[in-house]
Amino acid sequence: WMRVGRRWQRKAVARVKFRWHRSLQLRVVSTTLLLSVLVIAVLGFFLIQSVAAGLLTSAENAADSQVRNGRTAALGLSSVNVLDPGSPGDTAAIVSTATTTARALQQPSGSTGSYLVFIQLTGMIPAVVHWVGQSNVNITATIPPTLVSKVAAKQSPEMFDNNKTTAAPLYEPTTLVYSSGTSVPALAVGVPLGRYYQLYYVFPFTQQQATLLLVQRILVGVGLALVALLAAIASLVTRWVVLPVRHAAQAAQRVSD
């Protein structure tokens, strides 16, 4: 069977070579297809990268604005005072203030899940509770430690002066990890919130992924249609060139005979 298979393979390769050398139309169409696929693939790659970068920039700008508004709203809550929730040893008051603030900031998102709000408690002694937020999210796996460190560095001046609440939001790409084990690419944004808290927003990239997937599908469909069209044009043009030459050769042969 191996000998038969190898013999059949050699015959198939020989037929292809013979057809390749004898058919100008095959060579032109094949070369056109190859070059078209290569060009479209390169252009498609750069187009996808450009769209992805644009979506990320847009998400970062929207997130920056959302977090700034969230910090302003947290500072303006009438029911709690995030700048002075209680003495460092008053665990219940500090945790209650963080929980109330997180719920108030999460409420505008509603059921859309456009963002999730988390608050880290940094000024509580002892640190019985570290995070407040959605219970179905693995917070420590979602918020990057490097982002927490950067926000902590920005928080240092506010440890001694609660009026300094103008630090710019910091953000990093992350993965939103749920307690169930599922995960979604996301953007984590953090900002200091007085001496006791750090405010974090997590924006899932669900909509951006859907947009990018739609662009990829459209690009693939258009690319395939364009390749097919170019191949058809190349085949037609080559046929127009080859047929008159073939007819002239046949006529010349008949005259010589």
Side-chain angles (χ1 to χ4, degrees):
W1 288 104
M2 293 182 62
R3 292 181 179 177
V4 173
R6 291 176 180 174
R7 189 180 305 166
W8 180 86
Q9 184 179 7
R10 286 195 296 268
K11 289 182 178 179
V13 172
R15 290 195 193 100
V16 171
K17 288 182 177 180
F18 178 78
R19 179 66 177 171
W20 175 265
H21 290 294
R22 288 293 302 271
S23 176
L24 175 62
Q25 186 175 10
L26 176 62
R27 294 198 300 272
V28 172
V29 172
S30 300
T31 304
T32 302
L33 281 175
L34 181 61
L35 293 178
S36 300
V37 169
L38 181 61
V39 171
I40 291 175
V42 172
L43 292 178
F45 173 79
F46 285 107
L47 177 61
I48 292 297
Q49 294 298 316
S50 178
V51 171
L55 291 174
L56 180 59
T57 301
S58 177
E60 289 176 350
N61 293 336
D64 185 274
S65 176
Q66 181 67 54
V67 172
R68 290 179 186 272
N69 293 337
R71 177 175 56 186
T72 301
L75 295 173
L77 290 175
S78 58
S79 57
V80 293
N81 185 358
V82 295
L83 298 181
D84 188 19
S87 62
D90 192 353
T91 302
I94 295 177
V95 173
S96 176
T97 298
T99 303
T100 301
T101 304
R103 289 176 179 173
L105 298 181
Q106 182 65 60
Q107 188 174 4
S109 176
S111 59
T112 60
S114 56
Y115 61 82
L116 300 175
V117 178
F118 304 98
I119 294 179
Q120 186 185 40
L121 290 74
T122 59
M124 187 171 61
I125 303 174
V128 179
V129 178
H130 295 279
W131 289 93
V132 170
Q134 298 290 321
S135 58
N136 63 335
V137 174
N138 187 338
I139 302 177
T140 56
T142 298
I143 307 298
T146 53
L147 179 61
V148 174
S149 300
K150 293 177 182 178
V151 175
K154 292 284 187 180
Q155 189 180 25
S156 297
E158 299 183 13
M159 293 292 187
F160 307 101
D161 186 358
N162 278 344
N163 292 324
K164 294 182 178 179
T165 56
T166 58
L170 302 169
Y171 43 83
E172 283 189 16
T174 185
T175 301
L176 175 58
V177 182
Y178 291 95
S179 302
S180 61
T182 59
S183 60
V184 179
L187 180 69
V189 187
V191 68
L193 191 61
R195 72 177 69 179
Y196 294 101
Y197 308 111
Q198 293 178 7
L199 176 63
Y200 292 90
Y201 278 68
V202 176
F203 299 86
F205 281 151
T206 306
Q207 183 178 358
Q208 288 78 4
Q209 278 189 315
T211 302
L212 194 59
L213 182 60
L214 177 61
V215 172
Q216 288 177 336
R217 289 176 177 174
I218 294 175
L219 184 61
V220 170
V222 172
L224 291 177
L226 184 59
V227 168
L229 179 61
L230 290 175
I233 293 174
S235 177
L236 185 60
V237 171
T238 307
R239 187 177 181 85
W240 286 345
V241 173
V242 170
L243 282 180
V245 175
R246 184 180 300 170
H247 292 161
Q250 292 175 353
Q253 186 176 4
R254 286 195 297 268
V255 170
S256 63
D257 292 341

